[in-house]
């Protein structure tokens, strides 16, 4: 017969759609002699139809039909015939609201207590000479705390995604990810710390028109040294957290970013205070110490750049990851300018102790959400390639918070943690007699309103921003969190300052602010 055999029916085997074809198709030259034709001859000598089932083995040596039987609850859309991919990692999409809340709660409280401790430290050190006579240090506080959050949370999100999709399963892959990412954040910390000091000098000079070269070098040395040491310590902690969470069967997205901030604010603020105080003391007798410190940390840059460039996992970020951290630093510096202008005003007494708390809580929660959404998208494909995860042009608040998908569920859980979390933190501050502020009912109402509004705005922006970046072929793990945490610093500081101003207008007899 010269006519082509018709394809009559299809069956799915191992995720592949295969036709039932006459036997002569099985002996085509390009496929080789698979079977003997006589084995498929009917009684009349004509060919009969046979079903050919493929049995492929994946990268781990496990047959795919066995994997499908074990994961029968997964949809057919997740089936894959690729021969070079290992078994699908545990999907975070099966998490319930309870499991999400349970995994996030402890790291969230731990991070919150870290921000409370940072607030208590800032409440104390604001009276030191270096903070009194070099007030630009206050501008560095949100910028460096935000930089720490940007780098460590971006690192946590990036490594969490890599762990969830199986890129850290072997010792060789794990070591490559560790060395490349540690070198990368040292480069980013040094450069952005230097730029943060310049921003602090500029923002401090514009309102007053006063400039001191000694103070400028002091700010530079303090900022670069603080950023470098804090990123080194916190980066090592983050790597340990992610490796440990994977071994314990916990989704790193739920715990890594909050733990990144648990000691981060405290360590960074303590380093900034101690280093700036020490360098300020050396100005009188050893003025050369400040420029020497700057030169030392900047001289280490080529080493970190070489290490990061040799690693394929971080090479692209080394070239393209500067825009978000630099813009985020500028946004956080504006929040620092607000803090600098309000912390010394008696009408805003207490701002210093509450600012790290409200900013830290908001940044931690939105970083968890951004990391989770990013992992969800990475499991669907590569940035910009998956039509099912196309960016939302303008998501409605209802779809962000009241949808049925796992991201809406996690947004609701994170939002519901705001009030109980802040109540615990406020009680802790009050019991430690910090902030010079009496926690009256009206103060708590205004504070909670500012905190809820901050997190509500951040979670909504995260839903839009992560999907938008994904559609623009940008990896949200590297680009979204710096913007979101910086916006958290600016929104939190601005709303807190507005709340204190309203309380001052109402009068001390109602709020007792400033007593």
């Amino acid at each position: 017969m010269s006519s082509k055999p018709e394809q009559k029916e299809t069956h799915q085997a191992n995720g592949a759609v295969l036709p039932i074809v006459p036997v002569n198709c099985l002996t085509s030259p390009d496929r080789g002699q698979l079977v003997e034709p006589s084995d498929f001859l009917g009684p009349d000598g004509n060919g009969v139809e046979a079903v050919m089932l493929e049995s492929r083995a994946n990268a781990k040596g496990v047959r795919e039909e066995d994997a499908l039987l074990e994961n029968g609850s997964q949809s057919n859309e997740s089936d894959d015939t690729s021969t070079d991919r290992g078994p699908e990692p545990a999907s975070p999409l099966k998490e319930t609201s309870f499991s999400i809340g349970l995994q996030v709660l402890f790291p969230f409280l731990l991070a919150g207590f870290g921000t409370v401790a940072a607030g208590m430290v800032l409440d104390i050190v604001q009276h030191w000479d270096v903070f009194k006579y070099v007030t630009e240090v206050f501008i560095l506080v949100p910028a460096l705390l935000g930089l720490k959050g940007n780098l460590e949370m971006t690192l946590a999100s990036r490594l969490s995604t890599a762990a969830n999709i199986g890129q850290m399963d072997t010792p060789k892959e794990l070591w490559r990810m560790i060395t490349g990412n540690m070198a990368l954040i040292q480069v980013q910390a040094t450069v952005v710390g230097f730029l943060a000091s310049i921003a602090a000098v500029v923002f401090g000079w514009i309102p007053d028109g006063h400039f001191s070269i000694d103070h400028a070098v002091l700010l530079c040395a303090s900022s670069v040294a603080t950023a470098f040491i804090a990123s080194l310590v916190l980066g090592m902690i983050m790597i340990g957290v992610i490796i440990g969470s994977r071994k314990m069967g916990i989704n790193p997205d739920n715990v890594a970013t909050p733990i990144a901030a648990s000691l981060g604010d405290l360590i960074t603020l303590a380093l900034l205070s101690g280093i700036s105080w020490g360098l300020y003391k050396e100005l009188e007798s050893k003025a050369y110490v400040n420029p020497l410190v700057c030169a030392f940390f900047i001289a280490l840059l080529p080493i970190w750049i070489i290490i990061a460039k040799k690693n394929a996992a971080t090479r692209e970020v080394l070239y393209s990851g500067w825009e978000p951290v630099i813009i985020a630093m500028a946004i956080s510096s504006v929040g620092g300018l607000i803090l600098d202008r309000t912390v010394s005003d008696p009408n805003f007494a207490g701002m210093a102790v509450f600012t790290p708390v409200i900013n830290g809580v908001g940044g931690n929660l939105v970083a968890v959400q951004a990391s989770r959404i990013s992992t969800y998208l990475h499991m669907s494909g590569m940035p910009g390639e998956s039509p099912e995860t196309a960016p939302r042009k303008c998501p409605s608040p209802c779809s962000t918070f009241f949808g049925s998908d796992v991201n809406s569920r996690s947004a609701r859980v994170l939002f519901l943690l705001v009030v109980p979390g802040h109540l615990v933190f406020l009680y802790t501050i009050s019991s430690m007699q910090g902030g010079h502020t009496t926690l009256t009912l009206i103060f708590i109402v205004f504070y909670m309103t500012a905190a809820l509004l901050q997190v509500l705005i951040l979670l909504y922006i995260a839903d839009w921003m992560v999907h938008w970046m994904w559609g623009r072929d940008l990896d949200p793990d590297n680009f979204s969190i710096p913007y979101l945490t910086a916006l958290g610093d600016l929104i939190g500081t601005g709303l807190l300052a507005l709340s204190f101003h309203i309380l001052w207008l109402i009068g001390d007899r109602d709020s007792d602010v400033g007593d």
Side-chain angles (χ1 to χ4, degrees):
M1 294 175 61
S2 59
S3 61
K4 293 184 179 180
E6 295 182 359
Q7 178 176 314
K8 293 184 177 182
E9 186 180 0
T10 61
H11 293 276
Q12 186 167 349
N14 303 330
V17 177
L18 302 174
I20 297 179
V21 296
V23 66
N24 58 356
C25 292
L26 300 177
T27 59
S28 59
D30 59 328
R31 299 178 67 92
Q33 189 73 18
L34 300 180
V35 294
E36 292 295 332
S38 60
D39 297 337
F40 293 90
L41 292 179
D44 56 354
N46 295 327
V48 296
E49 295 175 352
V51 177
M52 180 182 66
L53 298 179
E54 294 184 4
S55 177
R56 301 181 181 180
N58 56 24
K60 299 294 183 182
V62 181
R63 292 198 315 166
E64 289 190 2
E65 59 265 31
D66 297 336
L68 287 176
L69 290 175
E70 294 175 1
N71 298 279
S73 60
Q74 297 181 2
S75 64
N76 290 336
E77 296 175 357
S78 64
D79 296 340
D80 189 3
T81 60
S82 175
T83 60
D84 57 356
R85 291 181 59 184
E88 290 291 335
S91 173
L93 308 184
K94 296 181 180 180
E95 295 173 306
T96 63
S97 297
F98 178 77
S99 66
I100 295 173
L102 189 62
Q103 292 185 18
V104 172
L105 180 60
F106 176 73
F108 168 71
L109 292 177
L110 183 62
F113 286 123
T115 61
V116 170
M120 298 296 295
V121 170
L122 184 60
D123 191 43
I124 295 173
V125 301
Q126 65 174 324
H127 305 294
W128 289 7
D129 288 344
V130 64
F131 283 86
K132 287 182 178 179
Y133 301 111
V134 189
T135 59
E136 293 85 357
V137 178
F138 281 112
I139 302 178
L140 283 178
V141 171
L144 289 182
L145 296 188
L147 171 65
K148 176 274 309 171
N150 294 339
L151 297 184
E152 300 339 303
M153 290 182 182
T154 300
L155 172 66
S157 180
R158 190 162 56 238
L159 294 182
S160 296
T161 297
N164 278 326
I165 64 179
Q167 293 182 354
M168 296 174 62
D169 291 342
T170 65
K172 183 178 180 181
E173 292 174 334
L174 180 63
W175 178 250
R176 185 176 67 249
M177 294 294 292
I178 290 175
T179 55
N181 280 280
M182 287 299 295
L184 174 65
I185 63 172
Q186 295 311 311
V187 175
Q188 292 178 324
T190 303
V191 173
V192 180
F194 177 75
L195 295 178
S197 65
I198 296 177
V201 171
V202 172
F203 285 143
W205 168 72
I206 290 177
D208 300 332
H210 175 71
F211 176 80
S212 171
I213 186 63
D214 291 337
H215 290 178
V217 177
L218 168 66
L219 291 171
C220 178
S222 303
S223 180
V224 172
T226 299
F228 181 92
I229 298 174
S231 293
L232 180 64
V233 174
L234 296 171
M236 296 174 64
I237 294 175
M238 279 321 310
I239 292 171
V241 167
I242 291 173
I243 295 175
S245 63
R246 286 290 291 172
K247 291 184 177 180
M248 296 174 62
I250 299 175
N251 184 0
D253 284 314
N254 292 335
V255 299
T257 48
I259 292 181
S262 60
L263 296 176
D265 287 345
L266 178 61
I267 291 175
T268 305
L269 187 56
L271 284 172
L272 175 63
S273 303
I275 292 174
S276 61
W277 176 80
L279 294 177
Y280 180 76
K281 292 295 184 180
E282 298 294 333
L283 276 179
E284 298 179 359
S285 58
K286 302 177 182 178
Y288 62 88
V289 172
N290 288 302
L292 189 61
V293 171
C294 284
F296 172 75
F297 287 105
I298 293 177
L300 293 177
L301 269 177
I303 299 176
W304 309 125
I305 292 175
I306 292 173
I307 297 175
K309 285 180 65 176
K310 289 184 177 180
N311 194 306
T314 56
R315 187 182 303 116
E316 181 180 354
V317 183
L318 180 64
Y319 293 116
S320 63
W322 292 103
E323 178 184 342
V325 293
I326 292 176
I327 295 179
M329 178 272 300
I331 295 174
S332 296
S333 296
V334 176
L337 182 60
I338 297 175
L339 179 65
D340 182 33
R341 294 297 158 185
T342 56
V343 72
S344 58
D345 191 335
N347 297 323
F348 292 88
M351 272 283 294
V353 72
F354 293 112
T355 299
V357 177
I358 192 171
N359 291 349
V361 169
N364 296 340
L365 293 178
V366 74
V368 170
Q369 180 71 349
S371 180
R372 289 179 58 86
I373 298 176
S374 180
T375 297
Y376 170 77
L377 294 175
H378 274 91
M379 287 185 170
S380 302
M382 298 299 292
E385 294 181 358
S386 180
E388 295 86 359
T389 54
R392 305 180 186 182
K393 297 299 182 182
C394 185
S396 65
C398 291
S399 64
T400 300
F401 295 98
F402 302 104
S404 59
D405 60 290
V406 67
N407 294 325
S408 297
R409 189 182 308 133
S410 61
R412 292 192 295 270
V413 171
L414 296 173
F415 184 75
L416 291 176
L417 288 175
V418 175
V419 171
H422 273 295
L423 286 176
V424 173
F425 305 145
L426 288 177
Y427 175 78
T428 304
I429 293 174
S430 177
S431 62
M432 298 176 67
Q433 299 179 351
H436 313 288
T437 302
T438 303
L439 297 184
T440 61
L441 178 61
I442 189 171
F443 172 80
I444 295 175
V445 169
F446 273 89
Y447 180 87
M448 287 298 176
T449 301
L452 286 170
L453 187 58
Q454 175 208 33
V455 174
L456 187 72
I457 295 172
L458 290 176
L459 291 176
Y460 177 77
I461 294 176
D463 186 28
W464 165 79
M465 181 178 290
V466 173
H467 286 89
W468 178 82
M469 288 182 172
W470 184 267
R472 295 286 300 272
D473 199 19
L474 299 174
D475 189 346
D477 282 326
N478 298 326
F479 289 91
S480 64
I481 290 181
Y483 291 117
L484 293 171
T485 54
L487 287 173
D489 292 341
L490 179 59
I491 295 173
T493 305
L495 290 175
L496 189 62
L498 179 62
S499 300
F500 271 80
H501 183 67
I502 295 175
L503 289 171
W504 172 72
L505 292 177
I506 292 175
D508 286 349
R509 66 177 182 274
D510 292 329
S511 63
D512 291 335
V513 175
D515 289 352

